[in-house]
Structure formats: structure tokens, C-alpha cells
Amino acid sequence: MIDKVYQPMNLLLASISVLDNKGAAGVDQQTVENFQAQHLDELRRLEEDLRTESYRPQAVRRVWIPKPGSTEKRPLGIPTVRDRVVQTALLHVLEPIFDVTFAEHSYGFRHGRGCHHALERIETLLQQGYVYIVDADLKSYFDTIPKERLLARVREKVSDSRVLRLLTMFLDQGVMDGLEEWTPEKGTPQGAVITPPTMLRTCSVLRQ
């Protein structure tokens, strides 16, 4: 399975997605513009690093952004551009495996689905006579996901040890906030490409 992750066309498509999304630089200060200027060389280096298992993700740069409707701020992690490309390539391989197992009316962070599909579903239910909507949120969800239990769920679908090691490295990425760096004992990096679509959805059964 790992060979599909570092397949040149997959890395190219992943890099195009990352470059189109723009975004800020990570701890290495490499911007998307810098990456794009050396596009093919960067992709060849990533392919070699992944193939030889010498690839190592860098720490995630932490920034604090305001919470809508609140005076509080929430942490957001910014991986390096190279790490975002690898995470997107990994997502391309893992997403089809897990997506088929999700509930029909789950719309968050799913390929080909979005808020407008959820609104269409609500409109249908309202027309059928339903009158109540439940709005719930899990406090600090990303920060409290147990890593080992998450990986155990992933192992039920993925047997390639190299893919599992790559996922583990992303889970164990350090966090750099100013000059301070540490490795969280639990949770998944907020802001990472791989976190919402794969980690969050895979782990959702742990909360049931």
C-alpha cells in the first residue's frame, strides 16, 4: 500500500491540492511559492524519502486563532508544506478504504459531500414533519483522541506496516509554539490534512 502513497502521480495530485489551498509556512519557513518553484525536485525527493523510509515529518507550528462568537482562542497546527503533501497523498490512499464504512448521512470532511448536502437533508426531514434539531459538540475532541486505540481501529483495515508507521509519525509529531516544543501524549494535530477526514472519522466509533 505504501507504494501507492509515493506513486509519482499521487504525489503530483497531492501537491497540486496543497498548492491550490495556499496556506502558511510551517516551522521550516518554506512557503507554497518556494515549494512550487522547486516543484519536481521536491516531489522526487519526497518519493525517494518515502520509498526508502527516510522521510520524517517536522514539528507542527502552533498558532492561536479566535473562536467564533467567543473571546477564547483555539490552537491550530500548521504542518510544513512537504508534510501537507505527504498527508494528502496518504489521504488519497486511505480515504476510499474508510469512507464506505461511514453512515449514509455523515457529511463532514467527506469527498463529494459538504454543508449544502446536509442542508438538503435537513430540508427533506422538515418536509417530512420533523421539527427538532440537536446541535452538539465534543469539547477538545482532537486533543483527547487516544492514539493507541485509534491506531488499533486503523489496523483493522490497514495491514501495511510502513503505512502504519507513517501514520504513527504524524500522530507523534512535535508541536512548536514560539520557542517551546513538545510531543503531545494524546490527541491528533489540529490543522493537519490527515486529521479530520481520516483520524476523526475513524475514531468516531470510540466515542459511541
Side-chain angles (χ1 to χ4, degrees):
M1 184 181 289
I2 190 67
D3 59 320
K4 294 180 173 63
V5 176
Y6 63 71
Q7 201 270 341
M9 182 55 69
N10 186 31
L11 286 175
L12 175 62
L13 293 174
S15 67
I16 290 172
S17 176
V18 171
L19 294 174
D20 285 347
N21 285 337
K22 304 298 182 183
V27 295
D28 62 354
Q29 299 302 309
Q30 184 187 42
T31 65
V32 291
E33 291 78 15
N34 295 148
F35 186 95
Q36 191 164 26
Q38 308 170 67
H39 198 182
L40 295 182
D41 287 340
E42 290 282 7
L43 293 182
R44 279 192 287 265
R45 186 155 64 96
L46 282 176
E47 179 187 355
E48 177 67 11
D49 288 349
L50 289 166
R51 185 181 64 80
T52 61
E53 296 189 70
S54 59
Y55 169 81
R56 297 292 183 273
Q58 294 183 264
V60 173
R61 182 168 68 89
R62 171 164 287 185
V63 296
W64 294 85
I65 60 175
K67 278 188 175 181
S70 170
T71 58
E72 297 181 21
K73 292 186 177 182
R74 67 180 182 90
L76 180 68
I78 303 176
T80 65
V81 178
R82 295 182 81 247
D83 290 345
R84 298 203 296 266
V85 171
V86 174
Q87 289 182 9
T88 303
L90 182 58
L91 176 63
H92 289 169
V93 174
L94 293 179
E95 188 168 44
I97 296 172
F98 290 102
D99 194 76
V100 295
T101 67
F102 300 136
E104 178 184 356
H105 297 298
S106 172
Y107 301 101
F109 302 107
R110 298 183 67 180
H111 182 69
R113 300 189 182 210
C115 294
H116 59 288
H117 295 104
L119 291 172
E120 289 172 0
R121 175 62 178 164
I122 291 173
E123 180 64 25
T124 299
L125 292 173
L126 289 173
Q127 292 175 357
Q128 292 175 0
Y130 291 89
V131 295
Y132 295 103
I133 294 176
V134 177
D135 183 11
D137 185 24
L138 296 174
K139 184 175 178 60
S140 301
Y141 182 75
F142 284 94
D143 296 333
T144 58
I145 291 176
K147 296 181 183 181
E148 285 306 316
R149 292 180 66 190
L150 169 57
L151 286 170
R153 301 298 305 203
V154 175
R155 290 189 192 100
E156 294 176 3
K157 299 286 185 180
V158 177
S159 59
D160 190 322
S161 61
R162 294 166 298 177
V163 170
L164 293 171
R165 279 196 293 271
L166 187 57
L167 279 172
T168 300
M169 284 192 290
F170 283 129
L171 280 175
D172 290 338
Q173 273 180 287
V175 175
M176 182 168 286
D177 190 346
L179 298 177
E180 184 182 2
E181 182 176 355
W182 73 97
T183 301
E185 295 182 0
K186 59 183 178 179
T188 62
Q190 294 193 48
V193 176
I194 201 71
T195 294
T198 302
M199 299 300 189
L200 177 58
R201 295 201 314 249
T202 303
C203 200
S204 62
V205 294
L206 301 178
R207 296 293 188 176
Q208 296 176 1

mmCIF file of all heavy atoms in Angstrom, residues 59-105:
data_model
loop_
_atom_site.group_PDB
_atom_site.id
_atom_site.type_symbol
_atom_site.label_atom_id
_atom_site.label_comp_id
_atom_site.label_asym_id
_atom_site.label_seq_id
_atom_site.Cartn_x
_atom_site.Cartn_y
_atom_site.Cartn_z
ATOM 1 N N ALA A 59 8.084 19.194 13.116
ATOM 2 C CA ALA A 59 7.126 19.648 14.121
ATOM 3 C C ALA A 59 6.054 20.521 13.471
ATOM 4 O O ALA A 59 6.263 21.128 12.410
ATOM 5 C CB ALA A 59 7.849 20.436 15.219
ATOM 6 N N VAL A 60 4.901 20.549 14.102
ATOM 7 C CA VAL A 60 3.786 21.380 13.651
ATOM 8 C C VAL A 60 3.883 22.747 14.322
ATOM 9 O O VAL A 60 4.068 22.829 15.543
ATOM 10 C CB VAL A 60 2.439 20.704 14.003
ATOM 11 C CG1 VAL A 60 1.274 21.634 13.692
ATOM 12 C CG2 VAL A 60 2.297 19.389 13.250
ATOM 13 N N ARG A 61 3.786 23.798 13.537
ATOM 14 C CA ARG A 61 3.841 25.154 14.101
ATOM 15 C C ARG A 61 2.466 25.531 14.637
ATOM 16 O O ARG A 61 1.481 25.509 13.910
ATOM 17 C CB ARG A 61 4.278 26.166 13.040
ATOM 18 C CG ARG A 61 4.401 27.595 13.576
ATOM 19 C CD ARG A 61 5.108 28.503 12.575
ATOM 20 N NE ARG A 61 4.329 28.753 11.381
ATOM 21 C CZ ARG A 61 3.448 29.757 11.242
ATOM 22 N NH1 ARG A 61 3.234 30.590 12.252
ATOM 23 N NH2 ARG A 61 2.796 29.924 10.115
ATOM 24 N N ARG A 62 2.417 25.871 15.923
ATOM 25 C CA ARG A 62 1.131 26.199 16.543
ATOM 26 C C ARG A 62 0.855 27.697 16.492
ATOM 27 O O ARG A 62 1.720 28.518 16.788
ATOM 28 C CB ARG A 62 1.096 25.729 17.995
ATOM 29 C CG ARG A 62 -0.122 26.209 18.776
ATOM 30 C CD ARG A 62 -0.336 25.443 20.051
ATOM 31 N NE ARG A 62 -0.844 24.098 19.776
ATOM 32 C CZ ARG A 62 -1.223 23.230 20.726
ATOM 33 N NH1 ARG A 62 -1.137 23.568 22.006
ATOM 34 N NH2 ARG A 62 -1.674 22.039 20.410
ATOM 35 N N VAL A 63 -0.351 28.020 16.070
ATOM 36 C CA VAL A 63 -0.842 29.401 16.126
ATOM 37 C C VAL A 63 -2.185 29.365 16.847
ATOM 38 O O VAL A 63 -2.824 28.320 16.957
ATOM 39 C CB VAL A 63 -0.996 30.019 14.720
ATOM 40 C CG1 VAL A 63 0.345 30.123 14.032
ATOM 41 C CG2 VAL A 63 -1.974 29.216 13.870
ATOM 42 N N TRP A 64 -2.584 30.511 17.356
ATOM 43 C CA TRP A 64 -3.850 30.608 18.085
ATOM 44 C C TRP A 64 -4.808 31.507 17.317
ATOM 45 O O TRP A 64 -4.459 32.623 16.954
ATOM 46 C CB TRP A 64 -3.616 31.151 19.492
ATOM 47 C CG TRP A 64 -2.808 30.205 20.337
ATOM 48 C CD1 TRP A 64 -1.450 30.116 20.394
ATOM 49 C CD2 TRP A 64 -3.319 29.209 21.213
ATOM 50 N NE1 TRP A 64 -1.066 29.119 21.254
ATOM 51 C CE2 TRP A 64 -2.209 28.544 21.784
ATOM 52 C CE3 TRP A 64 -4.605 28.802 21.601
ATOM 53 C CZ2 TRP A 64 -2.339 27.495 22.691
ATOM 54 C CZ3 TRP A 64 -4.737 27.765 22.508
ATOM 55 C CH2 TRP A 64 -3.619 27.129 23.048
ATOM 56 N N ILE A 65 -6.011 30.990 17.060
ATOM 57 C CA ILE A 65 -6.991 31.749 16.287
ATOM 58 C C ILE A 65 -8.251 31.944 17.131
ATOM 59 O O ILE A 65 -8.575 31.104 17.984
ATOM 60 C CB ILE A 65 -7.339 31.048 14.964
ATOM 61 C CG1 ILE A 65 -7.930 29.650 15.228
ATOM 62 C CG2 ILE A 65 -6.102 30.944 14.074
ATOM 63 C CD1 ILE A 65 -8.398 28.941 13.977
ATOM 64 N N PRO A 66 -8.963 33.050 16.909
ATOM 65 C CA PRO A 66 -10.168 33.327 17.707
ATOM 66 C C PRO A 66 -11.263 32.294 17.449
ATOM 67 O O PRO A 66 -11.427 31.810 16.329
ATOM 68 C CB PRO A 66 -10.600 34.719 17.222
ATOM 69 C CG PRO A 66 -9.390 35.299 16.550
ATOM 70 C CD PRO A 66 -8.642 34.134 15.970
ATOM 71 N N LYS A 67 -12.016 31.968 18.503
ATOM 72 C CA LYS A 67 -13.191 31.122 18.360
ATOM 73 C C LYS A 67 -14.368 32.010 17.971
ATOM 74 O O LYS A 67 -14.612 33.033 18.622
ATOM 75 C CB LYS A 67 -13.513 30.413 19.682
ATOM 76 C CG LYS A 67 -12.700 29.176 19.953
ATOM 77 C CD LYS A 67 -13.256 28.455 21.183
ATOM 78 C CE LYS A 67 -12.543 27.137 21.414
ATOM 79 N NZ LYS A 67 -13.096 26.413 22.585
ATOM 80 N N PRO A 68 -15.097 31.667 16.917
ATOM 81 C CA PRO A 68 -16.247 32.486 16.519
ATOM 82 C C PRO A 68 -17.239 32.651 17.653
ATOM 83 O O PRO A 68 -17.592 31.677 18.324
ATOM 84 C CB PRO A 68 -16.852 31.687 15.352
ATOM 85 C CG PRO A 68 -15.728 30.855 14.824
ATOM 86 C CD PRO A 68 -14.893 30.511 16.027
ATOM 87 N N GLY A 69 -17.651 33.877 17.891
ATOM 88 C CA GLY A 69 -18.642 34.152 18.927
ATOM 89 C C GLY A 69 -18.118 34.019 20.332
ATOM 90 O O GLY A 69 -18.889 33.862 21.278
ATOM 91 N N SER A 70 -16.790 34.069 20.503
ATOM 92 C CA SER A 70 -16.205 33.905 21.827
ATOM 93 C C SER A 70 -14.934 34.740 21.935
ATOM 94 O O SER A 70 -14.332 35.112 20.936
ATOM 95 C CB SER A 70 -15.892 32.422 22.078
ATOM 96 O OG SER A 70 -15.128 32.260 23.246
ATOM 97 N N THR A 71 -14.551 35.029 23.178
ATOM 98 C CA THR A 71 -13.288 35.744 23.393
ATOM 99 C C THR A 71 -12.125 34.765 23.506
ATOM 100 O O THR A 71 -10.972 35.176 23.576
ATOM 101 C CB THR A 71 -13.371 36.587 24.687
ATOM 102 O OG1 THR A 71 -13.670 35.716 25.796
ATOM 103 C CG2 THR A 71 -14.447 37.656 24.564
ATOM 104 N N GLU A 72 -12.435 33.468 23.539
ATOM 105 C CA GLU A 72 -11.403 32.456 23.639
ATOM 106 C C GLU A 72 -10.699 32.255 22.296
ATOM 107 O O GLU A 72 -11.195 32.668 21.249
ATOM 108 C CB GLU A 72 -12.016 31.115 24.094
ATOM 109 C CG GLU A 72 -12.640 31.148 25.467
ATOM 110 C CD GLU A 72 -13.198 29.785 25.838
ATOM 111 O OE1 GLU A 72 -12.767 28.777 25.238
ATOM 112 O OE2 GLU A 72 -14.078 29.730 26.720
ATOM 113 N N LYS A 73 -9.548 31.597 22.372
ATOM 114 C CA LYS A 73 -8.824 31.227 21.158
ATOM 115 C C LYS A 73 -8.592 29.726 21.161
ATOM 116 O O LYS A 73 -8.537 29.099 22.208
ATOM 117 C CB LYS A 73 -7.481 31.967 21.082
ATOM 118 C CG LYS A 73 -7.615 33.466 20.882
ATOM 119 C CD LYS A 73 -6.248 34.116 20.670
ATOM 120 C CE LYS A 73 -6.397 35.602 20.389
ATOM 121 N NZ LYS A 73 -5.081 36.252 20.140
ATOM 122 N N ARG A 74 -8.474 29.152 19.988
ATOM 123 C CA ARG A 74 -8.214 27.728 19.899
ATOM 124 C C ARG A 74 -6.916 27.495 19.133
ATOM 125 O O ARG A 74 -6.549 28.289 18.256
ATOM 126 C CB ARG A 74 -9.368 26.989 19.217
ATOM 127 C CG ARG A 74 -9.569 27.301 17.732
ATOM 128 C CD ARG A 74 -10.741 26.511 17.174
ATOM 129 N NE ARG A 74 -10.949 26.732 15.752
ATOM 130 C CZ ARG A 74 -10.372 26.006 14.802
ATOM 131 N NH1 ARG A 74 -9.551 25.026 15.133
ATOM 132 N NH2 ARG A 74 -10.613 26.259 13.527
ATOM 133 N N PRO A 75 -6.195 26.423 19.459
ATOM 134 C CA PRO A 75 -4.920 26.171 18.795
ATOM 135 C C PRO A 75 -5.113 25.576 17.409
ATOM 136 O O PRO A 75 -6.021 24.780 17.175
ATOM 137 C CB PRO A 75 -4.244 25.165 19.728
ATOM 138 C CG PRO A 75 -5.377 24.430 20.357
ATOM 139 C CD PRO A 75 -6.484 25.442 20.520
ATOM 140 N N LEU A 76 -4.263 25.968 16.496
ATOM 141 C CA LEU A 76 -4.261 25.411 15.143
ATOM 142 C C LEU A 76 -2.828 25.063 14.784
ATOM 143 O O LEU A 76 -1.912 25.875 14.990
ATOM 144 C CB LEU A 76 -4.835 26.413 14.144
ATOM 145 C CG LEU A 76 -4.895 25.944 12.684
ATOM 146 C CD1 LEU A 76 -5.929 24.825 12.538
ATOM 147 C CD2 LEU A 76 -5.246 27.098 11.756
ATOM 148 N N GLY A 77 -2.617 23.866 14.289
ATOM 149 C CA GLY A 77 -1.281 23.439 13.898
ATOM 150 C C GLY A 77 -1.050 23.615 12.412
ATOM 151 O O GLY A 77 -1.936 23.307 11.607
ATOM 152 N N ILE A 78 0.108 24.113 12.048
ATOM 153 C CA ILE A 78 0.447 24.299 10.642
ATOM 154 C C ILE A 78 1.629 23.395 10.300
ATOM 155 O O ILE A 78 2.772 23.690 10.657
ATOM 156 C CB ILE A 78 0.794 25.769 10.330
ATOM 157 C CG1 ILE A 78 -0.372 26.683 10.723
ATOM 158 C CG2 ILE A 78 1.142 25.942 8.856
ATOM 159 C CD1 ILE A 78 -0.082 28.164 10.539
ATOM 160 N N PRO A 79 1.387 22.267 9.606
ATOM 161 C CA PRO A 79 2.494 21.425 9.171
ATOM 162 C C PRO A 79 3.284 22.117 8.063
ATOM 163 O O PRO A 79 2.808 23.071 7.437
ATOM 164 C CB PRO A 79 1.806 20.160 8.640
ATOM 165 C CG PRO A 79 0.387 20.239 9.131
ATOM 166 C CD PRO A 79 0.081 21.706 9.264
ATOM 167 N N THR A 80 4.485 21.627 7.801
ATOM 168 C CA THR A 80 5.257 22.155 6.679
ATOM 169 C C THR A 80 4.547 21.804 5.373
ATOM 170 O O THR A 80 3.692 20.904 5.329
ATOM 171 C CB THR A 80 6.671 21.561 6.652
ATOM 172 O OG1 THR A 80 6.570 20.154 6.399
ATOM 173 C CG2 THR A 80 7.410 21.814 7.964
ATOM 174 N N VAL A 81 4.906 22.494 4.312
ATOM 175 C CA VAL A 81 4.290 22.225 3.009
ATOM 176 C C VAL A 81 4.573 20.786 2.591
ATOM 177 O O VAL A 81 3.688 20.079 2.092
ATOM 178 C CB VAL A 81 4.813 23.209 1.947
ATOM 179 C CG1 VAL A 81 4.201 22.889 0.580
ATOM 180 C CG2 VAL A 81 4.491 24.651 2.339
ATOM 181 N N ARG A 82 5.826 20.321 2.807
ATOM 182 C CA ARG A 82 6.184 18.950 2.441
ATOM 183 C C ARG A 82 5.313 17.948 3.196
ATOM 184 O O ARG A 82 4.844 16.954 2.627
ATOM 185 C CB ARG A 82 7.660 18.675 2.734
ATOM 186 C CG ARG A 82 8.628 19.498 1.911
ATOM 187 C CD ARG A 82 10.073 19.138 2.222
ATOM 188 N NE ARG A 82 10.485 17.938 1.505
ATOM 189 C CZ ARG A 82 10.783 16.780 2.084
ATOM 190 N NH1 ARG A 82 10.703 16.655 3.399
ATOM 191 N NH2 ARG A 82 11.157 15.740 1.354
ATOM 192 N N ASP A 83 5.103 18.195 4.474
ATOM 193 C CA ASP A 83 4.280 17.283 5.265
ATOM 194 C C ASP A 83 2.830 17.315 4.809
ATOM 195 O O ASP A 83 2.140 16.282 4.816
ATOM 196 C CB ASP A 83 4.377 17.631 6.750
ATOM 197 C CG ASP A 83 5.739 17.298 7.340
ATOM 198 O OD1 ASP A 83 6.500 16.545 6.696
ATOM 199 O OD2 ASP A 83 6.058 17.806 8.432
ATOM 200 N N ARG A 84 2.344 18.476 4.413
ATOM 201 C CA ARG A 84 0.969 18.558 3.918
ATOM 202 C C ARG A 84 0.802 17.765 2.624
ATOM 203 O O ARG A 84 -0.240 17.141 2.397
ATOM 204 C CB ARG A 84 0.560 20.026 3.714
ATOM 205 C CG ARG A 84 0.581 20.840 4.996
ATOM 206 C CD ARG A 84 -0.302 22.068 4.947
ATOM 207 N NE ARG A 84 0.033 23.088 4.011
ATOM 208 C CZ ARG A 84 0.787 24.158 4.281
ATOM 209 N NH1 ARG A 84 1.333 24.296 5.490
ATOM 210 N NH2 ARG A 84 1.003 25.076 3.370
ATOM 211 N N VAL A 85 1.824 17.769 1.782
ATOM 212 C CA VAL A 85 1.767 16.998 0.536
ATOM 213 C C VAL A 85 1.711 15.505 0.844
ATOM 214 O O VAL A 85 0.895 14.768 0.280
ATOM 215 C CB VAL A 85 2.977 17.317 -0.364
ATOM 216 C CG1 VAL A 85 3.036 16.354 -1.556
ATOM 217 C CG2 VAL A 85 2.908 18.756 -0.870
ATOM 218 N N VAL A 86 2.560 15.046 1.757
ATOM 219 C CA VAL A 86 2.579 13.621 2.110
ATOM 220 C C VAL A 86 1.262 13.219 2.764
ATOM 221 O O VAL A 86 0.695 12.159 2.468
ATOM 222 C CB VAL A 86 3.771 13.301 3.028
ATOM 223 C CG1 VAL A 86 3.698 11.851 3.504
ATOM 224 C CG2 VAL A 86 5.083 13.548 2.301
ATOM 225 N N GLN A 87 0.742 14.046 3.649
ATOM 226 C CA GLN A 87 -0.527 13.735 4.297
ATOM 227 C C GLN A 87 -1.658 13.635 3.274
ATOM 228 O O GLN A 87 -2.524 12.758 3.379
ATOM 229 C CB GLN A 87 -0.855 14.793 5.349
ATOM 230 C CG GLN A 87 0.029 14.730 6.579
ATOM 231 C CD GLN A 87 -0.359 15.765 7.625
ATOM 232 O OE1 GLN A 87 -1.381 16.430 7.508
ATOM 233 N NE2 GLN A 87 0.464 15.888 8.653
ATOM 234 N N THR A 88 -1.653 14.527 2.294
ATOM 235 C CA THR A 88 -2.688 14.488 1.265
ATOM 236 C C THR A 88 -2.549 13.236 0.410
ATOM 237 O O THR A 88 -3.554 12.595 0.064
ATOM 238 C CB THR A 88 -2.613 15.745 0.376
ATOM 239 O OG1 THR A 88 -2.722 16.917 1.190
ATOM 240 C CG2 THR A 88 -3.744 15.757 -0.657
ATOM 241 N N ALA A 89 -1.318 12.861 0.071
ATOM 242 C CA ALA A 89 -1.089 11.629 -0.686
ATOM 243 C C ALA A 89 -1.559 10.417 0.103
ATOM 244 O O ALA A 89 -2.160 9.480 -0.450
ATOM 245 C CB ALA A 89 0.398 11.507 -1.036
ATOM 246 N N LEU A 90 -1.305 10.429 1.401
ATOM 247 C CA LEU A 90 -1.747 9.336 2.273
ATOM 248 C C LEU A 90 -3.266 9.303 2.357
ATOM 249 O O LEU A 90 -3.888 8.232 2.334
ATOM 250 C CB LEU A 90 -1.131 9.522 3.659
ATOM 251 C CG LEU A 90 -1.418 8.461 4.715
ATOM 252 C CD1 LEU A 90 -0.956 7.085 4.252
ATOM 253 C CD2 LEU A 90 -0.739 8.826 6.026
ATOM 254 N N LEU A 91 -3.871 10.460 2.432
ATOM 255 C CA LEU A 91 -5.327 10.555 2.473
ATOM 256 C C LEU A 91 -5.954 9.971 1.212
ATOM 257 O O LEU A 91 -6.966 9.266 1.275
ATOM 258 C CB LEU A 91 -5.750 12.016 2.641
ATOM 259 C CG LEU A 91 -7.254 12.308 2.602
ATOM 260 C CD1 LEU A 91 -7.960 11.624 3.766
ATOM 261 C CD2 LEU A 91 -7.505 13.802 2.630
ATOM 262 N N HIS A 92 -5.345 10.229 0.044
ATOM 263 C CA HIS A 92 -5.869 9.689 -1.214
ATOM 264 C C HIS A 92 -5.946 8.167 -1.178
ATOM 265 O O HIS A 92 -6.837 7.575 -1.796
ATOM 266 C CB HIS A 92 -4.965 10.115 -2.385
ATOM 267 C CG HIS A 92 -5.063 11.560 -2.720
ATOM 268 N ND1 HIS A 92 -4.176 12.187 -3.579
ATOM 269 C CD2 HIS A 92 -5.939 12.526 -2.323
ATOM 270 C CE1 HIS A 92 -4.484 13.454 -3.685
ATOM 271 N NE2 HIS A 92 -5.553 13.691 -2.937
ATOM 272 N N VAL A 93 -5.017 7.542 -0.475
ATOM 273 C CA VAL A 93 -4.981 6.080 -0.409
ATOM 274 C C VAL A 93 -5.931 5.543 0.662
ATOM 275 O O VAL A 93 -6.627 4.546 0.456
ATOM 276 C CB VAL A 93 -3.536 5.595 -0.137
ATOM 277 C CG1 VAL A 93 -3.498 4.085 0.078
ATOM 278 C CG2 VAL A 93 -2.622 5.992 -1.299
ATOM 279 N N LEU A 94 -5.990 6.192 1.812
ATOM 280 C CA LEU A 94 -6.783 5.681 2.928
ATOM 281 C C LEU A 94 -8.270 6.023 2.834
ATOM 282 O O LEU A 94 -9.119 5.238 3.282
ATOM 283 C CB LEU A 94 -6.232 6.220 4.250
ATOM 284 C CG LEU A 94 -4.844 5.741 4.669
ATOM 285 C CD1 LEU A 94 -4.448 6.384 5.988
ATOM 286 C CD2 LEU A 94 -4.806 4.225 4.789
ATOM 287 N N GLU A 95 -8.581 7.175 2.280
ATOM 288 C CA GLU A 95 -9.967 7.635 2.290
ATOM 289 C C GLU A 95 -10.940 6.642 1.659
ATOM 290 O O GLU A 95 -11.995 6.354 2.254
ATOM 291 C CB GLU A 95 -10.082 8.996 1.604
ATOM 292 C CG GLU A 95 -11.465 9.616 1.747
ATOM 293 C CD GLU A 95 -11.487 11.069 1.322
ATOM 294 O OE1 GLU A 95 -10.898 11.376 0.267
ATOM 295 O OE2 GLU A 95 -12.076 11.886 2.039
ATOM 296 N N PRO A 96 -10.647 6.080 0.480
ATOM 297 C CA PRO A 96 -11.618 5.135 -0.103
ATOM 298 C C PRO A 96 -11.840 3.901 0.764
ATOM 299 O O PRO A 96 -12.921 3.309 0.739
ATOM 300 C CB PRO A 96 -10.961 4.751 -1.446
ATOM 301 C CG PRO A 96 -10.016 5.860 -1.753
ATOM 302 C CD PRO A 96 -9.509 6.325 -0.423
ATOM 303 N N ILE A 97 -10.837 3.500 1.536
ATOM 304 C CA ILE A 97 -10.957 2.310 2.380
ATOM 305 C C ILE A 97 -11.948 2.547 3.513
ATOM 306 O O ILE A 97 -12.773 1.678 3.831
ATOM 307 C CB ILE A 97 -9.577 1.933 2.960
ATOM 308 C CG1 ILE A 97 -8.623 1.547 1.832
ATOM 309 C CG2 ILE A 97 -9.704 0.801 3.979
ATOM 310 C CD1 ILE A 97 -7.190 1.342 2.297
ATOM 311 N N PHE A 98 -11.894 3.735 4.118
ATOM 312 C CA PHE A 98 -12.727 4.012 5.286
ATOM 313 C C PHE A 98 -14.069 4.649 4.920
ATOM 314 O O PHE A 98 -15.047 4.468 5.632
ATOM 315 C CB PHE A 98 -11.975 4.927 6.255
ATOM 316 C CG PHE A 98 -10.816 4.256 6.932
ATOM 317 C CD1 PHE A 98 -9.523 4.487 6.522
ATOM 318 C CD2 PHE A 98 -11.031 3.363 7.972
ATOM 319 C CE1 PHE A 98 -8.457 3.860 7.132
ATOM 320 C CE2 PHE A 98 -9.972 2.726 8.593
ATOM 321 C CZ PHE A 98 -8.674 2.972 8.170
ATOM 322 N N ASP A 99 -14.107 5.371 3.825
ATOM 323 C CA ASP A 99 -15.309 6.143 3.508
ATOM 324 C C ASP A 99 -16.543 5.260 3.347
ATOM 325 O O ASP A 99 -17.646 5.657 3.725
ATOM 326 C CB ASP A 99 -15.089 6.973 2.239
ATOM 327 C CG ASP A 99 -16.161 8.028 2.061
ATOM 328 O OD1 ASP A 99 -16.100 9.057 2.767
ATOM 329 O OD2 ASP A 99 -17.078 7.821 1.229
ATOM 330 N N VAL A 100 -16.357 4.070 2.795
ATOM 331 C CA VAL A 100 -17.506 3.189 2.548
ATOM 332 C C VAL A 100 -18.129 2.672 3.846
ATOM 333 O O VAL A 100 -19.243 2.143 3.824
ATOM 334 C CB VAL A 100 -17.094 1.992 1.661
ATOM 335 C CG1 VAL A 100 -16.674 2.468 0.286
ATOM 336 C CG2 VAL A 100 -15.972 1.188 2.309
ATOM 337 N N THR A 101 -17.431 2.822 4.955
ATOM 338 C CA THR A 101 -17.938 2.313 6.229
ATOM 339 C C THR A 101 -18.720 3.361 7.019
ATOM 340 O O THR A 101 -19.291 3.038 8.064
ATOM 341 C CB THR A 101 -16.782 1.808 7.114
ATOM 342 O OG1 THR A 101 -15.960 2.920 7.520
ATOM 343 C CG2 THR A 101 -15.915 0.805 6.367
ATOM 344 N N PHE A 102 -18.760 4.582 6.529
ATOM 345 C CA PHE A 102 -19.400 5.653 7.295
ATOM 346 C C PHE A 102 -20.901 5.733 7.024
ATOM 347 O O PHE A 102 -21.399 5.249 5.999
ATOM 348 C CB PHE A 102 -18.743 6.993 6.966
ATOM 349 C CG PHE A 102 -17.284 7.009 7.292
ATOM 350 C CD1 PHE A 102 -16.370 7.557 6.402
ATOM 351 C CD2 PHE A 102 -16.803 6.469 8.471
ATOM 352 C CE1 PHE A 102 -15.027 7.552 6.681
ATOM 353 C CE2 PHE A 102 -15.460 6.465 8.767
ATOM 354 C CZ PHE A 102 -14.567 7.012 7.871
ATOM 355 N N ALA A 103 -21.594 6.343 7.949
ATOM 356 C CA ALA A 103 -23.045 6.461 7.844
ATOM 357 C C ALA A 103 -23.439 7.228 6.579
ATOM 358 O O ALA A 103 -22.746 8.155 6.159
ATOM 359 C CB ALA A 103 -23.603 7.169 9.082
ATOM 360 N N GLU A 104 -24.555 6.824 6.024
ATOM 361 C CA GLU A 104 -25.023 7.448 4.778
ATOM 362 C C GLU A 104 -25.183 8.952 4.925
ATOM 363 O O GLU A 104 -24.865 9.720 4.016
ATOM 364 C CB GLU A 104 -26.355 6.823 4.359
ATOM 365 C CG GLU A 104 -26.946 7.437 3.106
ATOM 366 C CD GLU A 104 -28.313 6.881 2.755
ATOM 367 O OE1 GLU A 104 -28.773 5.941 3.463
ATOM 368 O OE2 GLU A 104 -28.925 7.374 1.788
ATOM 369 N N HIS A 105 -25.664 9.383 6.073
ATOM 370 C CA HIS A 105 -25.939 10.810 6.257
ATOM 371 C C HIS A 105 -24.868 11.486 7.112
ATOM 372 O O HIS A 105 -25.160 12.364 7.922
ATOM 373 C CB HIS A 105 -27.327 11.011 6.855
ATOM 374 C CG HIS A 105 -28.418 10.510 5.958
ATOM 375 N ND1 HIS A 105 -28.626 11.037 4.694
ATOM 376 C CD2 HIS A 105 -29.325 9.512 6.115
ATOM 377 C CE1 HIS A 105 -29.639 10.406 4.127
ATOM 378 N NE2 HIS A 105 -30.078 9.483 4.958
#
